[in-house]
Amino acid sequence: MPNILQYLATLSGTNPETGGSCDVQNALLPCNVKWMNNTSIPVSTMMLYVQSIAFSVQFLLFTTFGSLADYGRWNRYILLTATIIACTTQIIPIVLVNDDGSHWGIMMAIFIIALISYGTTLVFYGAAFPTLSDNLPVVRKARSSNQLSFKEIENVIEKWRNHVSAISTTWSNIGFLILTAVLAGPGYIAWNPQSMLGDAPIYNFICTVVAGGFWILNAIPYFVFQPRGRQGLPLPPGESHLTIGWKSIFQALREAKKLRYLFMYIFSYFMFSDAVSTIGTMMTIITGEVTNFSALQSTLFGLITAVTSILGCLLFLFLSKTFGISTKTNLLIIVALTSIIPLWGCLGISLNNFGFKTTWELWAQAAWSGLFTAPIWAWQQTMLAELTPKGKENLFFGLFGIVNKASSWIGPVVVGAISQSTSNVWMGWPFVLALFVVATIIVLFIDVDAAKQELADYENSINSTTAATKSITSINEKVEP
């Protein structure tokens, strides 16, 4: 979908240097489109701003209406609605297949709706992670054991959280691999004497239709076989769905002094989550420019990323289980290796033939991203689970999700402003690299053992307060005639 939007906008745009139409056969040349208030901005800047709009809307929606996922029967229906919208927006772009670029604004609106609905499905599907991992038989057995020390129990919990998170991420990449493999083959069909189907603009539109259909086929079994009787807790008395999300944020922030390491991690996550999201956006734009919007090339890059993502997740899971490498150490390794991507991109500021300026570099980046960027999402989730107090998972995972959405629009806005002022999207790489550096330094200073002791003290204080409250209530009930 980003390829289609970028392609249509380029068809409609003008070259600021010549005043003529943009050349879709050489997308690295300057190309501007009309933006708000008839301002002329580079197509790459427009793409970054579109991402920012979508993520900021997600932040407002999830914060205001996110409680619908936790209370009552709304979870299933919101997820079903978001899935239908997301699949529909994947298929609809086919109606613009013969467009001359004059309706790129419609494609932009479709793309924004697609991003919002897709983000919604990710949040609702991902909410099951803590419950799944903590209720595995081996984990429940460890929790109830009188023969294991506190440290040993924590090690069991950490091990299986890593396992569930890594396996779920692996399976998502297996689905990605299947889809890209299905799409790659037809791309080599001869389209005309000069090119293959994969190099024709229509192939981008075919890919979105197939992706939407693939999602539908995989979503149907989930909604058909999902138990209908499950529902969340009733909304607390006196609360409103419109305000409880915002109240939860302030409630979580009030615990900052008691849970210092947890909030240090959330702040670092704010940094590297924004950095990773911005990398994805920038590489999509750069890939479109370098390959002249070749859907076949993008599909093949995706195929490489899918394969290496599976290998990357399994590699770090193997290292964790075999050598007992901690979650923090794994996360630091992954984040440090991922930061090589923006460092590499910085070289493209001054070089014309290096720094994601050539096709072979895009192949290398696709493989590197799969190996080291994909596992970030598995291990960051486990790290949060380790630092979150028991009984407060919904509160802090909710805050984590909000931070994710709140941070995801900042990078594209900053890089968009930089590229708008310089007409060079590569100038945004130093900002992304700085985010990684700051995030890595913060994680280095997180003492996990001290954090777990901090959690134990916090949980004990909560339990003591709860017990005291129950005792007072019991006494009052006995005194009443």
Side-chain angles (χ1 to χ4, degrees):
M1 291 184 75
N3 251 9
I4 294 175
L5 174 58
Q6 195 174 356
Y7 168 73
L8 292 178
T10 302
L11 279 178
S12 176
T14 56
N15 187 320
E17 295 178 352
T18 65
S21 299
C22 296
D23 184 1
V24 294
Q25 301 302 320
N26 190 356
L28 285 171
L29 293 175
C31 183
N32 287 8
V33 289
K34 295 294 184 182
W35 189 241
M36 300 176 184
N37 300 322
N38 281 327
T39 304
S40 181
I41 64 173
V43 170
S44 59
T45 301
M46 178 275 295
M47 295 292 295
L48 289 160
Y49 286 162
V50 165
Q51 296 272 356
S52 300
I53 292 170
F55 286 130
S56 59
V57 171
Q58 286 183 49
F59 167 67
L60 293 173
L61 286 177
F62 293 158
T63 305
T64 305
F65 299 105
S67 62
L68 293 172
D70 298 321
Y71 301 102
R73 300 175 179 270
W74 290 98
N75 188 305
R76 170 185 172 84
Y77 301 111
I78 292 175
L79 181 56
L80 176 60
T81 302
T83 301
I84 291 172
I85 294 173
C87 292
T88 302
T89 52
Q90 285 274 317
I91 297 171
I92 281 181
I94 192 68
V95 301
L96 298 173
V97 66
N98 294 317
D99 193 80
D100 60 359
S102 57
H103 297 97
W104 72 269
I106 295 175
M107 184 61 212
M108 179 179 70
I110 294 172
F111 185 43
I112 290 173
I113 295 171
L115 286 173
I116 294 170
S117 55
Y118 171 66
T120 302
T121 62
L122 286 183
V123 169
F124 279 74
Y125 281 122
F129 163 69
T131 303
L132 286 173
S133 59
D134 288 356
N135 282 283
L136 289 171
V138 64
V139 176
R140 296 174 67 179
K141 182 179 179 180
R143 285 184 185 277
S144 61
S145 175
N146 296 323
Q147 300 177 347
L148 297 177
S149 65
F150 173 79
K151 180 70 173 177
E152 289 172 328
I153 293 174
E154 289 297 314
N155 287 339
V156 172
I157 295 171
E158 176 182 348
K159 172 184 175 181
W160 287 100
R161 280 177 174 169
N162 280 331
H163 177 84
V164 170
S165 187
I167 292 300
S168 64
T169 305
T170 300
W171 274 103
S172 72
N173 284 298
I174 289 174
F176 182 36
L177 173 61
I178 293 171
L179 179 60
T180 51
V182 168
L183 290 171
Y188 288 97
I189 296 174
W191 180 247
N192 57 49
Q194 287 77 35
S195 65
M196 299 177 293
L197 174 62
D199 294 323
I202 191 175
Y203 188 65
N204 281 306
F205 296 89
I206 294 172
C207 288
T208 62
V209 173
V210 175
F214 183 78
W215 192 344
I216 291 171
L217 288 176
N218 283 277
I220 288 174
Y222 177 85
F223 290 106
V224 169
F225 296 107
Q226 182 188 31
R228 299 296 179 90
R230 292 182 180 177
Q231 64 179 26
L233 296 171
L235 193 69
E239 294 290 355
S240 166
H241 283 300
L242 295 176
T243 58
I244 193 170
W246 295 98
K247 287 182 179 179
S248 295
I249 293 176
F250 294 116
Q251 180 186 349
L253 292 175
R254 283 198 294 268
E255 308 296 332
K257 291 183 179 180
K258 302 174 185 176
L259 300 166
R260 296 168 301 159
Y261 292 109
L262 172 58
F263 279 87
M264 283 176 64
Y265 177 64
I266 289 177
F267 186 69
S268 70
Y269 174 75
F270 183 95
M271 296 287 184
F272 70 71
S273 172
D274 189 22
V276 172
S277 297
T278 307
I279 284 176
T281 303
M282 292 180 69
M283 287 308 306
T284 298
I285 295 168
I286 290 171
T287 299
E289 292 183 356
V290 173
T291 65
N292 296 321
F293 316 111
S294 169
L296 178 58
Q297 289 275 32
S298 297
T299 301
L300 293 175
F301 294 148
L303 185 63
I304 294 298
T305 300
V307 172
T308 53
S309 293
I310 295 169
L311 296 176
C313 290
L314 295 178
L315 170 65
F316 283 99
L317 182 61
F318 170 79
L319 294 175
S320 177
K321 287 186 173 183
T322 305
F323 301 103
I325 299 175
S326 69
T327 302
K328 174 186 171 180
T329 302
N330 262 332
L331 185 62
L332 281 170
I333 294 171
I334 294 167
V335 170
L337 290 171
T338 302
S339 66
I340 289 177
I341 294 176
L343 180 62
W344 190 346
C346 286
L347 299 176
I349 296 173
S350 56
L351 300 176
N352 293 325
N353 57 356
F354 193 76
F356 304 131
K357 297 291 183 74
T358 60
T359 303
W360 76 263
E361 290 179 278
L362 298 182
W363 285 102
Q365 186 276 332
W368 191 271
S369 178
L371 283 172
F372 304 116
T373 304
I376 277 184
W377 305 116
W379 265 264
Q380 56 83 13
Q381 195 167 235
T382 306
M383 184 79 172
L384 176 67
E386 287 185 26
L387 300 175
T388 300
K390 302 296 180 292
K392 297 285 185 178
E393 289 89 352
N394 286 342
L395 176 64
F396 287 103
F397 266 84
L399 178 63
F400 202 55
I402 290 169
V403 166
N404 184 15
K405 298 307 173 187
S407 68
S408 295
W409 64 269
I410 295 175
V413 164
V414 174
V415 175
I418 293 171
S419 65
Q420 182 177 351
S421 62
T422 63
S423 297
N424 185 354
V425 73
W426 274 263
M427 294 297 293
W429 285 119
F431 170 74
V432 180
L433 180 61
L435 290 176
F436 273 110
V437 172
V438 174
T440 303
I441 291 172
I442 294 173
V443 175
L444 279 170
F445 281 97
I446 295 176
D447 186 330
V448 177
D449 291 333
K452 289 181 178 179
Q453 185 57 53
E454 193 175 67
L455 283 180
D457 295 339
Y458 177 82
E459 290 167 6
N460 289 335
S461 67
I462 293 294
N463 293 335
S464 298
T465 302
T466 303
T469 302
K470 288 181 178 179
S471 177
I472 293 171
T473 302
S474 177
I475 292 172
N476 290 338
E477 290 175 350
K478 290 180 181 179
V479 171
E480 289 180 0

